[in-house]
Amino acid sequence: MIKLDNVTKIFGRGKDSLTALDHVSMNVEEGSYLGLSGRSGSGKTTLLNVISGLERATAGNINVDGINVQSATDGRLAAFRNKTIGFVFQSFHLNDWETALENTVLPLLLTRTSRSEREKLAADVLNRLGLSDKIDSRVGTLSTGQCQRVALARALVTKPKILLADEPTANIDSEAENEALNIIDELHAGGMTIVLVSHDPKVLERVPRTITIEKGRIVKY
Amino acid sequence: MRITNLTGISFKSISRHLGQTLVLAGGISVGVASLIFLFSLLTGVEDTVRKRIIEPFPETHIRVERSLDERKSKLFNIDEKLIRRMRKRPEVLAVHPRMKPDFPCEIAVRIPPKFYWVKYPEQSLPINIYGIEPAELGNASDSLRRIFENYNPDNKRLRVPFVINEEFYLTLEKGVIPEHFPFLMKKDFGFFSTIKKLALKKGSLREEFMSWPFRADLGASMEGAEAKAKIEMKLVGFSRKVPVIGVSVPAKALYKWYEYYHKRKNRPVAYYNAVIVAKDPTEVGTLVKELSAAYHITSGKEVAEKVTMFFRVVQMGVTLVGLIILILSGVGIFLGLTINVMVQASRIAILRAVGARRWDIGFVYVFEAAFIGLIGGIAGVFLSYLAMWIADSFAVARLPDFPLKPETFFITPWWYLVCAIVFGIAIAIAAGLPPALRAARVNVARVLR
């Protein structure tokens, strides 16, 4: 499903350059659940970004679900992110002045889905994540755990094949963390490919397979 | 569907920053309103000038006069020889000499039941009598020209027809003459005061005016000399082709009066000025070159060219001023949207992360700019109409009335409004492009870290 071959990412040029990924090669099978661990600045988030095409690798090949991410056009990558990838971020990046439904529906605005269909799909996902009573609530009024679930709903609303979660539990309490991880477990059980970045050993304990990155290199596979 | 959804995203951003949007649109509206106001004013003034200066004096016409100094020393100074010579020229269509009587000649009018002498013991009246050829009435109504052409000065039963300038009549109708010429009202100057009263009372003087009896008193002077003869006059119409101040009678009438007054058969052999009509505007240059050595020449073509040149220069200036105002408004939009892009970097990055192309992000911001331009443009149209209404109201209330004062100083063709709105939108889009490009190039990975 995800295949990286000798991927290198260097930020900057000359003396000030920083190698974030250094000849990384890995293979993630379809339906697998992979954890990425490592210290801050080790290259975990950069790895997620090059997988999703948000950043271009300096060298190497990246193939995700049959798409060559390195050579794909902006339009192709955008469609790929919309249909194949679901993103969950550490700090949610939700629009506080919008409702849970309006936030969730955002990826569908970039598709040819009708308004009624969009709202139905978004409401279904929010219901599934236990937010049926918060659909029309402004995100600014929700707890951090609920916000994380809204962020998850936004990532899942297009029914992606892959979920990329970057420190999804870093900003929430333990109860909410448990809820979020349970949801991710369910998604994995449903056949979704999941790549989860965390530096929390408790979180990584629940992940079947974990890769450790240090200074841009895979040190434990 | 996708475009509709992207415009929906734009509208959300607009509603989120409604106050800022209105301020930015306000800037554009001022620019658009300025453009419409200035162009409408220019068009209104140009239209007035064209109707009152250029149209009565087409580009095939050349007015021949002596220089100002020579005119002071002699009343009749365009001689018969020039008229005859010009009439023989193949490129000349017609020659219209214009005369003035060289003897006292006053007009009296009876406004029933009172009879007014249009004379004043202490003041000389600015009423001249001109003799004109019927052809000089140009495009005046056929019936008016027929009366002039068929006038027979030997037929005592036919009263002498005369015309007055249409514009001058309109100022009479508005009753503004007394205010503009207060010296006429120092004493009981019944004619104008009665006209003003009638104008205020009836609204239109035309029919009333045409029915009044007029009389020319030949030999009567402002200083009190008795008239040698009284000739019944008949106002037959109004024309823009005759001098503004004064009355115009057929040239034949003046010849007759001259014979009567001077007791001589030979009519005047020289004229006050002459209008030479060329067959084609291209012939005007040759004639002007030939005549300008001895005479002061005013050609319709030259006047038209000067007026056109003047208005084109002013138009360029006005365009420049309007564009500067619009560009300043555009700078406002640029700054406003740039701040929006910086503030909304996270939202832009999320959109990119969930599947928006760079083009989509650019479109969202360009559409927002265009919408601001559209709202500003429409508001600018209303603002310009308000400004024009205020300016016209101010002109009516504060500017002194004067002859030929237009009803409105503004003419606004519909396409001015369309162009101004399009300009507003174009400037807004141009100003919105750099922030839109900046938004499209947001470093998603860095923002979402």
mmCIF file with all atom_site columns, all heavy atoms in Angstrom, chain A residues 33-38 196-198 200-201 203-213 218-221:
data_model
loop_
_atom_site.group_PDB
_atom_site.id
_atom_site.type_symbol
_atom_site.label_atom_id
_atom_site.label_alt_id
_atom_site.label_comp_id
_atom_site.label_asym_id
_atom_site.label_entity_id
_atom_site.label_seq_id
_atom_site.pdbx_PDB_ins_code
_atom_site.Cartn_x
_atom_site.Cartn_y
_atom_site.Cartn_z
_atom_site.occupancy
_atom_site.B_iso_or_equiv
_atom_site.pdbx_formal_charge
_atom_site.auth_seq_id
_atom_site.auth_comp_id
_atom_site.auth_asym_id
_atom_site.auth_atom_id
_atom_site.pdbx_PDB_model_num
ATOM 1   N N   . TYR A 1 33  ? -1.335 -1.655 10.531 1.00 0.00 ? 33  TYR A N   1
ATOM 2   C CA  . TYR A 1 33  ? -1.393 -0.567 11.515 1.00 0.00 ? 33  TYR A CA  1
ATOM 3   C C   . TYR A 1 33  ? 0.043  -0.334 11.957 1.00 0.00 ? 33  TYR A C   1
ATOM 4   O O   . TYR A 1 33  ? 0.629  -1.149 12.661 1.00 0.00 ? 33  TYR A O   1
ATOM 5   C CB  . TYR A 1 33  ? -2.282 -1.015 12.667 1.00 0.00 ? 33  TYR A CB  1
ATOM 6   C CG  . TYR A 1 33  ? -2.616 0.023  13.712 1.00 0.00 ? 33  TYR A CG  1
ATOM 7   C CD1 . TYR A 1 33  ? -3.526 -0.276 14.730 1.00 0.00 ? 33  TYR A CD1 1
ATOM 8   C CD2 . TYR A 1 33  ? -2.055 1.302  13.700 1.00 0.00 ? 33  TYR A CD2 1
ATOM 9   C CE1 . TYR A 1 33  ? -3.869 0.651  15.710 1.00 0.00 ? 33  TYR A CE1 1
ATOM 10  C CE2 . TYR A 1 33  ? -2.384 2.244  14.659 1.00 0.00 ? 33  TYR A CE2 1
ATOM 11  C CZ  . TYR A 1 33  ? -3.283 1.917  15.666 1.00 0.00 ? 33  TYR A CZ  1
ATOM 12  O OH  . TYR A 1 33  ? -3.618 2.835  16.622 1.00 0.00 ? 33  TYR A OH  1
ATOM 13  N N   . LEU A 1 34  ? 0.600  0.774  11.550 1.00 0.00 ? 34  LEU A N   1
ATOM 14  C CA  . LEU A 1 34  ? 2.020  1.032  11.792 1.00 0.00 ? 34  LEU A CA  1
ATOM 15  C C   . LEU A 1 34  ? 2.195  2.236  12.703 1.00 0.00 ? 34  LEU A C   1
ATOM 16  O O   . LEU A 1 34  ? 1.565  3.270  12.517 1.00 0.00 ? 34  LEU A O   1
ATOM 17  C CB  . LEU A 1 34  ? 2.726  1.304  10.453 1.00 0.00 ? 34  LEU A CB  1
ATOM 18  C CG  . LEU A 1 34  ? 4.217  1.620  10.529 1.00 0.00 ? 34  LEU A CG  1
ATOM 19  C CD1 . LEU A 1 34  ? 5.023  0.360  10.871 1.00 0.00 ? 34  LEU A CD1 1
ATOM 20  C CD2 . LEU A 1 34  ? 4.713  2.205  9.223  1.00 0.00 ? 34  LEU A CD2 1
ATOM 21  N N   . GLY A 1 35  ? 3.048  2.054  13.701 1.00 0.00 ? 35  GLY A N   1
ATOM 22  C CA  . GLY A 1 35  ? 3.386  3.187  14.562 1.00 0.00 ? 35  GLY A CA  1
ATOM 23  C C   . GLY A 1 35  ? 4.747  3.738  14.180 1.00 0.00 ? 35  GLY A C   1
ATOM 24  O O   . GLY A 1 35  ? 5.626  3.006  13.746 1.00 0.00 ? 35  GLY A O   1
ATOM 25  N N   . LEU A 1 36  ? 4.889  5.085  14.297 1.00 0.00 ? 36  LEU A N   1
ATOM 26  C CA  . LEU A 1 36  ? 6.196  5.720  14.064 1.00 0.00 ? 36  LEU A CA  1
ATOM 27  C C   . LEU A 1 36  ? 6.589  6.401  15.349 1.00 0.00 ? 36  LEU A C   1
ATOM 28  O O   . LEU A 1 36  ? 5.863  7.255  15.856 1.00 0.00 ? 36  LEU A O   1
ATOM 29  C CB  . LEU A 1 36  ? 6.098  6.770  12.947 1.00 0.00 ? 36  LEU A CB  1
ATOM 30  C CG  . LEU A 1 36  ? 5.912  6.271  11.512 1.00 0.00 ? 36  LEU A CG  1
ATOM 31  C CD1 . LEU A 1 36  ? 5.736  7.472  10.578 1.00 0.00 ? 36  LEU A CD1 1
ATOM 32  C CD2 . LEU A 1 36  ? 7.119  5.464  11.069 1.00 0.00 ? 36  LEU A CD2 1
ATOM 33  N N   . SER A 1 37  ? 7.717  6.010  15.877 1.00 0.00 ? 37  SER A N   1
ATOM 34  C CA  . SER A 1 37  ? 8.157  6.644  17.122 1.00 0.00 ? 37  SER A CA  1
ATOM 35  C C   . SER A 1 37  ? 9.508  7.316  16.908 1.00 0.00 ? 37  SER A C   1
ATOM 36  O O   . SER A 1 37  ? 10.181 7.081  15.911 1.00 0.00 ? 37  SER A O   1
ATOM 37  C CB  . SER A 1 37  ? 8.245  5.596  18.238 1.00 0.00 ? 37  SER A CB  1
ATOM 38  O OG  . SER A 1 37  ? 9.365  4.766  18.021 1.00 0.00 ? 37  SER A OG  1
ATOM 39  N N   . GLY A 1 38  ? 9.847  8.123  17.861 1.00 0.00 ? 38  GLY A N   1
ATOM 40  C CA  . GLY A 1 38  ? 11.128 8.820  17.763 1.00 0.00 ? 38  GLY A CA  1
ATOM 41  C C   . GLY A 1 38  ? 11.051 10.131 18.510 1.00 0.00 ? 38  GLY A C   1
ATOM 42  O O   . GLY A 1 38  ? 9.964  10.615 18.850 1.00 0.00 ? 38  GLY A O   1
ATOM 43  N N   . LEU A 1 196 ? 0.450  5.825  12.455 1.00 0.00 ? 196 LEU A N   1
ATOM 44  C CA  . LEU A 1 196 ? 0.246  6.694  13.608 1.00 0.00 ? 196 LEU A CA  1
ATOM 45  C C   . LEU A 1 196 ? 1.595  7.143  14.171 1.00 0.00 ? 196 LEU A C   1
ATOM 46  O O   . LEU A 1 196 ? 2.453  6.313  14.461 1.00 0.00 ? 196 LEU A O   1
ATOM 47  C CB  . LEU A 1 196 ? -0.560 5.936  14.668 1.00 0.00 ? 196 LEU A CB  1
ATOM 48  C CG  . LEU A 1 196 ? -0.945 6.693  15.938 1.00 0.00 ? 196 LEU A CG  1
ATOM 49  C CD1 . LEU A 1 196 ? -2.338 6.291  16.388 1.00 0.00 ? 196 LEU A CD1 1
ATOM 50  C CD2 . LEU A 1 196 ? 0.043  6.443  17.070 1.00 0.00 ? 196 LEU A CD2 1
ATOM 51  N N   . VAL A 1 197 ? 1.763  8.427  14.292 1.00 0.00 ? 197 VAL A N   1
ATOM 52  C CA  . VAL A 1 197 ? 2.999  8.973  14.852 1.00 0.00 ? 197 VAL A CA  1
ATOM 53  C C   . VAL A 1 197 ? 2.766  9.286  16.319 1.00 0.00 ? 197 VAL A C   1
ATOM 54  O O   . VAL A 1 197 ? 1.757  9.911  16.662 1.00 0.00 ? 197 VAL A O   1
ATOM 55  C CB  . VAL A 1 197 ? 3.421  10.259 14.096 1.00 0.00 ? 197 VAL A CB  1
ATOM 56  C CG1 . VAL A 1 197 ? 4.526  10.997 14.858 1.00 0.00 ? 197 VAL A CG1 1
ATOM 57  C CG2 . VAL A 1 197 ? 3.889  9.938  12.694 1.00 0.00 ? 197 VAL A CG2 1
ATOM 58  N N   . SER A 1 198 ? 3.644  8.820  17.157 1.00 0.00 ? 198 SER A N   1
ATOM 59  C CA  . SER A 1 198 ? 3.546  9.168  18.580 1.00 0.00 ? 198 SER A CA  1
ATOM 60  C C   . SER A 1 198 ? 4.903  8.962  19.234 1.00 0.00 ? 198 SER A C   1
ATOM 61  O O   . SER A 1 198 ? 5.718  8.169  18.767 1.00 0.00 ? 198 SER A O   1
ATOM 62  C CB  . SER A 1 198 ? 2.493  8.290  19.259 1.00 0.00 ? 198 SER A CB  1
ATOM 63  O OG  . SER A 1 198 ? 2.407  8.629  20.627 1.00 0.00 ? 198 SER A OG  1
ATOM 64  N N   . ASP A 1 200 ? 4.652  8.614  22.599 1.00 0.00 ? 200 ASP A N   1
ATOM 65  C CA  . ASP A 1 200 ? 4.144  8.127  23.879 1.00 0.00 ? 200 ASP A CA  1
ATOM 66  C C   . ASP A 1 200 ? 4.157  6.594  23.878 1.00 0.00 ? 200 ASP A C   1
ATOM 67  O O   . ASP A 1 200 ? 3.431  5.959  23.101 1.00 0.00 ? 200 ASP A O   1
ATOM 68  C CB  . ASP A 1 200 ? 2.708  8.668  24.053 1.00 0.00 ? 200 ASP A CB  1
ATOM 69  C CG  . ASP A 1 200 ? 2.125  8.301  25.411 1.00 0.00 ? 200 ASP A CG  1
ATOM 70  O OD1 . ASP A 1 200 ? 2.721  7.444  26.103 1.00 0.00 ? 200 ASP A OD1 1
ATOM 71  O OD2 . ASP A 1 200 ? 1.077  8.870  25.762 1.00 0.00 ? 200 ASP A OD2 1
ATOM 72  N N   . PRO A 1 201 ? 4.964  5.976  24.747 1.00 0.00 ? 201 PRO A N   1
ATOM 73  C CA  . PRO A 1 201 ? 5.075  4.505  24.771 1.00 0.00 ? 201 PRO A CA  1
ATOM 74  C C   . PRO A 1 201 ? 3.729  3.828  25.026 1.00 0.00 ? 201 PRO A C   1
ATOM 75  O O   . PRO A 1 201 ? 3.449  2.778  24.478 1.00 0.00 ? 201 PRO A O   1
ATOM 76  C CB  . PRO A 1 201 ? 6.047  4.217  25.921 1.00 0.00 ? 201 PRO A CB  1
ATOM 77  C CG  . PRO A 1 201 ? 6.750  5.503  26.171 1.00 0.00 ? 201 PRO A CG  1
ATOM 78  C CD  . PRO A 1 201 ? 5.856  6.596  25.741 1.00 0.00 ? 201 PRO A CD  1
ATOM 79  N N   . VAL A 1 203 ? 0.793  4.756  24.076 1.00 0.00 ? 203 VAL A N   1
ATOM 80  C CA  . VAL A 1 203 ? 0.023  4.742  22.803 1.00 0.00 ? 203 VAL A CA  1
ATOM 81  C C   . VAL A 1 203 ? 0.610  3.677  21.890 1.00 0.00 ? 203 VAL A C   1
ATOM 82  O O   . VAL A 1 203 ? -0.119 2.859  21.304 1.00 0.00 ? 203 VAL A O   1
ATOM 83  C CB  . VAL A 1 203 ? 0.047  6.128  22.123 1.00 0.00 ? 203 VAL A CB  1
ATOM 84  C CG1 . VAL A 1 203 ? -0.585 6.067  20.733 1.00 0.00 ? 203 VAL A CG1 1
ATOM 85  C CG2 . VAL A 1 203 ? -0.654 7.158  22.994 1.00 0.00 ? 203 VAL A CG2 1
ATOM 86  N N   . LEU A 1 204 ? 1.922  3.655  21.802 1.00 0.00 ? 204 LEU A N   1
ATOM 87  C CA  . LEU A 1 204 ? 2.577  2.744  20.858 1.00 0.00 ? 204 LEU A CA  1
ATOM 88  C C   . LEU A 1 204 ? 2.423  1.277  21.269 1.00 0.00 ? 204 LEU A C   1
ATOM 89  O O   . LEU A 1 204 ? 2.529  0.386  20.430 1.00 0.00 ? 204 LEU A O   1
ATOM 90  C CB  . LEU A 1 204 ? 4.060  3.128  20.715 1.00 0.00 ? 204 LEU A CB  1
ATOM 91  C CG  . LEU A 1 204 ? 4.277  4.482  20.021 1.00 0.00 ? 204 LEU A CG  1
ATOM 92  C CD1 . LEU A 1 204 ? 5.731  4.916  20.120 1.00 0.00 ? 204 LEU A CD1 1
ATOM 93  C CD2 . LEU A 1 204 ? 3.844  4.429  18.560 1.00 0.00 ? 204 LEU A CD2 1
ATOM 94  N N   . GLU A 1 205 ? 2.170  1.064  22.575 1.00 0.00 ? 205 GLU A N   1
ATOM 95  C CA  . GLU A 1 205 ? 1.935  -0.319 23.047 1.00 0.00 ? 205 GLU A CA  1
ATOM 96  C C   . GLU A 1 205 ? 0.749  -0.955 22.333 1.00 0.00 ? 205 GLU A C   1
ATOM 97  O O   . GLU A 1 205 ? 0.673  -2.156 22.136 1.00 0.00 ? 205 GLU A O   1
ATOM 98  C CB  . GLU A 1 205 ? 1.643  -0.305 24.561 1.00 0.00 ? 205 GLU A CB  1
ATOM 99  C CG  . GLU A 1 205 ? 2.884  -0.380 25.422 1.00 0.00 ? 205 GLU A CG  1
ATOM 100 C CD  . GLU A 1 205 ? 2.529  -0.224 26.903 1.00 0.00 ? 205 GLU A CD  1
ATOM 101 O OE1 . GLU A 1 205 ? 1.328  -0.364 27.259 1.00 0.00 ? 205 GLU A OE1 1
ATOM 102 O OE2 . GLU A 1 205 ? 3.452  0.062  27.690 1.00 0.00 ? 205 GLU A OE2 1
ATOM 103 N N   . ARG A 1 206 ? -0.234 -0.116 21.945 1.00 0.00 ? 206 ARG A N   1
ATOM 104 C CA  . ARG A 1 206 ? -1.464 -0.632 21.320 1.00 0.00 ? 206 ARG A CA  1
ATOM 105 C C   . ARG A 1 206 ? -1.299 -0.855 19.822 1.00 0.00 ? 206 ARG A C   1
ATOM 106 O O   . ARG A 1 206 ? -2.195 -1.349 19.154 1.00 0.00 ? 206 ARG A O   1
ATOM 107 C CB  . ARG A 1 206 ? -2.611 0.354  21.561 1.00 0.00 ? 206 ARG A CB  1
ATOM 108 C CG  . ARG A 1 206 ? -2.907 0.544  23.028 1.00 0.00 ? 206 ARG A CG  1
ATOM 109 C CD  . ARG A 1 206 ? -3.992 1.539  23.256 1.00 0.00 ? 206 ARG A CD  1
ATOM 110 N NE  . ARG A 1 206 ? -5.248 1.192  22.621 1.00 0.00 ? 206 ARG A NE  1
ATOM 111 C CZ  . ARG A 1 206 ? -6.446 1.605  23.023 1.00 0.00 ? 206 ARG A CZ  1
ATOM 112 N NH1 . ARG A 1 206 ? -6.534 2.339  24.106 1.00 0.00 ? 206 ARG A NH1 1
ATOM 113 N NH2 . ARG A 1 206 ? -7.537 1.274  22.364 1.00 0.00 ? 206 ARG A NH2 1
ATOM 114 N N   . VAL A 1 207 ? -0.144 -0.404 19.286 1.00 0.00 ? 207 VAL A N   1
ATOM 115 C CA  . VAL A 1 207 ? 0.072  -0.511 17.839 1.00 0.00 ? 207 VAL A CA  1
ATOM 116 C C   . VAL A 1 207 ? 0.818  -1.818 17.554 1.00 0.00 ? 207 VAL A C   1
ATOM 117 O O   . VAL A 1 207 ? 1.824  -2.106 18.210 1.00 0.00 ? 207 VAL A O   1
ATOM 118 C CB  . VAL A 1 207 ? 0.894  0.690  17.336 1.00 0.00 ? 207 VAL A CB  1
ATOM 119 C CG1 . VAL A 1 207 ? 1.135  0.596  15.840 1.00 0.00 ? 207 VAL A CG1 1
ATOM 120 C CG2 . VAL A 1 207 ? 0.186  1.991  17.683 1.00 0.00 ? 207 VAL A CG2 1
ATOM 121 N N   . PRO A 1 208 ? 0.326  -2.651 16.622 1.00 0.00 ? 208 PRO A N   1
ATOM 122 C CA  . PRO A 1 208 ? 0.959  -3.959 16.378 1.00 0.00 ? 208 PRO A CA  1
ATOM 123 C C   . PRO A 1 208 ? 2.410  -3.854 15.961 1.00 0.00 ? 208 PRO A C   1
ATOM 124 O O   . PRO A 1 208 ? 3.231  -4.694 16.351 1.00 0.00 ? 208 PRO A O   1
ATOM 125 C CB  . PRO A 1 208 ? 0.125  -4.540 15.230 1.00 0.00 ? 208 PRO A CB  1
ATOM 126 C CG  . PRO A 1 208 ? -1.122 -3.743 15.168 1.00 0.00 ? 208 PRO A CG  1
ATOM 127 C CD  . PRO A 1 208 ? -0.837 -2.428 15.773 1.00 0.00 ? 208 PRO A CD  1
ATOM 128 N N   . ARG A 1 209 ? 2.750  -2.846 15.151 1.00 0.00 ? 209 ARG A N   1
ATOM 129 C CA  . ARG A 1 209 ? 4.133  -2.781 14.649 1.00 0.00 ? 209 ARG A CA  1
ATOM 130 C C   . ARG A 1 209 ? 4.601  -1.331 14.672 1.00 0.00 ? 209 ARG A C   1
ATOM 131 O O   . ARG A 1 209 ? 3.883  -0.431 14.231 1.00 0.00 ? 209 ARG A O   1
ATOM 132 C CB  . ARG A 1 209 ? 4.145  -3.310 13.214 1.00 0.00 ? 209 ARG A CB  1
ATOM 133 C CG  . ARG A 1 209 ? 5.470  -3.275 12.519 1.00 0.00 ? 209 ARG A CG  1
ATOM 134 C CD  . ARG A 1 209 ? 5.306  -3.822 11.117 1.00 0.00 ? 209 ARG A CD  1
ATOM 135 N NE  . ARG A 1 209 ? 6.327  -3.297 10.236 1.00 0.00 ? 209 ARG A NE  1
ATOM 136 C CZ  . ARG A 1 209 ? 6.110  -2.962 8.991  1.00 0.00 ? 209 ARG A CZ  1
ATOM 137 N NH1 . ARG A 1 209 ? 4.897  -3.057 8.470  1.00 0.00 ? 209 ARG A NH1 1
ATOM 138 N NH2 . ARG A 1 209 ? 7.106  -2.536 8.236  1.00 0.00 ? 209 ARG A NH2 1
ATOM 139 N N   . THR A 1 210 ? 5.801  -1.107 15.221 1.00 0.00 ? 210 THR A N   1
ATOM 140 C CA  . THR A 1 210 ? 6.292  0.268  15.347 1.00 0.00 ? 210 THR A CA  1
ATOM 141 C C   . THR A 1 210 ? 7.683  0.398  14.736 1.00 0.00 ? 210 THR A C   1
ATOM 142 O O   . THR A 1 210 ? 8.533  -0.476 14.892 1.00 0.00 ? 210 THR A O   1
ATOM 143 C CB  . THR A 1 210 ? 6.348  0.691  16.829 1.00 0.00 ? 210 THR A CB  1
ATOM 144 O OG1 . THR A 1 210 ? 5.038  0.628  17.367 1.00 0.00 ? 210 THR A OG1 1
ATOM 145 C CG2 . THR A 1 210 ? 6.889  2.109  16.979 1.00 0.00 ? 210 THR A CG2 1
ATOM 146 N N   . ILE A 1 211 ? 7.877  1.492  14.011 1.00 0.00 ? 211 ILE A N   1
ATOM 147 C CA  . ILE A 1 211 ? 9.199  1.815  13.453 1.00 0.00 ? 211 ILE A CA  1
ATOM 148 C C   . ILE A 1 211 ? 9.759  2.977  14.254 1.00 0.00 ? 211 ILE A C   1
ATOM 149 O O   . ILE A 1 211 ? 9.039  3.952  14.512 1.00 0.00 ? 211 ILE A O   1
ATOM 150 C CB  . ILE A 1 211 ? 9.075  2.201  11.964 1.00 0.00 ? 211 ILE A CB  1
ATOM 151 C CG1 . ILE A 1 211 ? 8.720  0.979  11.118 1.00 0.00 ? 211 ILE A CG1 1
ATOM 152 C CG2 . ILE A 1 211 ? 10.344 2.860  11.459 1.00 0.00 ? 211 ILE A CG2 1
ATOM 153 C CD1 . ILE A 1 211 ? 8.441  1.301  9.667  1.00 0.00 ? 211 ILE A CD1 1
ATOM 154 N N   . THR A 1 212 ? 10.993 2.909  14.608 1.00 0.00 ? 212 THR A N   1
ATOM 155 C CA  . THR A 1 212 ? 11.615 4.018  15.331 1.00 0.00 ? 212 THR A CA  1
ATOM 156 C C   . THR A 1 212 ? 12.566 4.773  14.392 1.00 0.00 ? 212 THR A C   1
ATOM 157 O O   . THR A 1 212 ? 13.352 4.155  13.676 1.00 0.00 ? 212 THR A O   1
ATOM 158 C CB  . THR A 1 212 ? 12.403 3.504  16.558 1.00 0.00 ? 212 THR A CB  1
ATOM 159 O OG1 . THR A 1 212 ? 11.499 2.721  17.342 1.00 0.00 ? 212 THR A OG1 1
ATOM 160 C CG2 . THR A 1 212 ? 12.944 4.657  17.390 1.00 0.00 ? 212 THR A CG2 1
ATOM 161 N N   . ILE A 1 213 ? 12.433 6.091  14.434 1.00 0.00 ? 213 ILE A N   1
ATOM 162 C CA  . ILE A 1 213 ? 13.269 6.924  13.570 1.00 0.00 ? 213 ILE A CA  1
ATOM 163 C C   . ILE A 1 213 ? 14.160 7.797  14.441 1.00 0.00 ? 213 ILE A C   1
ATOM 164 O O   . ILE A 1 213 ? 13.712 8.342  15.464 1.00 0.00 ? 213 ILE A O   1
ATOM 165 C CB  . ILE A 1 213 ? 12.400 7.815  12.663 1.00 0.00 ? 213 ILE A CB  1
ATOM 166 C CG1 . ILE A 1 213 ? 11.514 6.944  11.769 1.00 0.00 ? 213 ILE A CG1 1
ATOM 167 C CG2 . ILE A 1 213 ? 13.253 8.743  11.808 1.00 0.00 ? 213 ILE A CG2 1
ATOM 168 C CD1 . ILE A 1 213 ? 10.556 7.711  10.909 1.00 0.00 ? 213 ILE A CD1 1
ATOM 169 N N   . ILE A 1 218 ? 15.769 5.072  9.855  1.00 0.00 ? 218 ILE A N   1
ATOM 170 C CA  . ILE A 1 218 ? 15.027 4.042  10.591 1.00 0.00 ? 218 ILE A CA  1
ATOM 171 C C   . ILE A 1 218 ? 16.038 3.218  11.374 1.00 0.00 ? 218 ILE A C   1
ATOM 172 O O   . ILE A 1 218 ? 16.958 2.629  10.801 1.00 0.00 ? 218 ILE A O   1
ATOM 173 C CB  . ILE A 1 218 ? 14.231 3.146  9.613  1.00 0.00 ? 218 ILE A CB  1
ATOM 174 C CG1 . ILE A 1 218 ? 13.139 3.985  8.914  1.00 0.00 ? 218 ILE A CG1 1
ATOM 175 C CG2 . ILE A 1 218 ? 13.604 1.969  10.351 1.00 0.00 ? 218 ILE A CG2 1
ATOM 176 C CD1 . ILE A 1 218 ? 12.370 3.241  7.852  1.00 0.00 ? 218 ILE A CD1 1
ATOM 177 N N   . VAL A 1 219 ? 15.854 3.238  12.690 1.00 0.00 ? 219 VAL A N   1
ATOM 178 C CA  . VAL A 1 219 ? 16.823 2.507  13.507 1.00 0.00 ? 219 VAL A CA  1
ATOM 179 C C   . VAL A 1 219 ? 16.226 1.215  14.055 1.00 0.00 ? 219 VAL A C   1
ATOM 180 O O   . VAL A 1 219 ? 16.947 0.321  14.497 1.00 0.00 ? 219 VAL A O   1
ATOM 181 C CB  . VAL A 1 219 ? 17.353 3.374  14.671 1.00 0.00 ? 219 VAL A CB  1
ATOM 182 C CG1 . VAL A 1 219 ? 18.199 4.515  14.139 1.00 0.00 ? 219 VAL A CG1 1
ATOM 183 C CG2 . VAL A 1 219 ? 16.214 3.902  15.528 1.00 0.00 ? 219 VAL A CG2 1
ATOM 184 N N   . LYS A 1 220 ? 14.888 1.151  14.062 1.00 0.00 ? 220 LYS A N   1
ATOM 185 C CA  . LYS A 1 220 ? 14.262 -0.087 14.538 1.00 0.00 ? 220 LYS A CA  1
ATOM 186 C C   . LYS A 1 220 ? 13.070 -0.371 13.635 1.00 0.00 ? 220 LYS A C   1
ATOM 187 O O   . LYS A 1 220 ? 12.178 0.451  13.499 1.00 0.00 ? 220 LYS A O   1
ATOM 188 C CB  . LYS A 1 220 ? 13.815 0.104  15.995 1.00 0.00 ? 220 LYS A CB  1
ATOM 189 C CG  . LYS A 1 220 ? 13.333 -1.167 16.645 1.00 0.00 ? 220 LYS A CG  1
ATOM 190 C CD  . LYS A 1 220 ? 12.881 -0.859 18.069 1.00 0.00 ? 220 LYS A CD  1
ATOM 191 C CE  . LYS A 1 220 ? 12.160 -2.068 18.642 1.00 0.00 ? 220 LYS A CE  1
ATOM 192 N NZ  . LYS A 1 220 ? 11.466 -1.701 19.883 1.00 0.00 ? 220 LYS A NZ  1
ATOM 193 N N   . TYR A 1 221 ? 13.048 -1.485 13.027 1.00 0.00 ? 221 TYR A N   1
ATOM 194 C CA  . TYR A 1 221 ? 12.033 -1.811 12.034 1.00 0.00 ? 221 TYR A CA  1
ATOM 195 C C   . TYR A 1 221 ? 11.293 -3.066 12.437 1.00 0.00 ? 221 TYR A C   1
ATOM 196 O O   . TYR A 1 221 ? 11.900 -4.079 12.732 1.00 0.00 ? 221 TYR A O   1
ATOM 197 C CB  . TYR A 1 221 ? 12.739 -1.991 10.670 1.00 0.00 ? 221 TYR A CB  1
ATOM 198 C CG  . TYR A 1 221 ? 11.824 -1.961 9.492  1.00 0.00 ? 221 TYR A CG  1
ATOM 199 C CD1 . TYR A 1 221 ? 10.724 -1.083 9.458  1.00 0.00 ? 221 TYR A CD1 1
ATOM 200 C CD2 . TYR A 1 221 ? 12.040 -2.789 8.401  1.00 0.00 ? 221 TYR A CD2 1
ATOM 201 C CE1 . TYR A 1 221 ? 9.899  -1.046 8.344  1.00 0.00 ? 221 TYR A CE1 1
ATOM 202 C CE2 . TYR A 1 221 ? 11.217 -2.742 7.283  1.00 0.00 ? 221 TYR A CE2 1
ATOM 203 C CZ  . TYR A 1 221 ? 10.144 -1.877 7.282  1.00 0.00 ? 221 TYR A CZ  1
ATOM 204 O OH  . TYR A 1 221 ? 9.321  -1.833 6.194  1.00 0.00 ? 221 TYR A OH  1
#
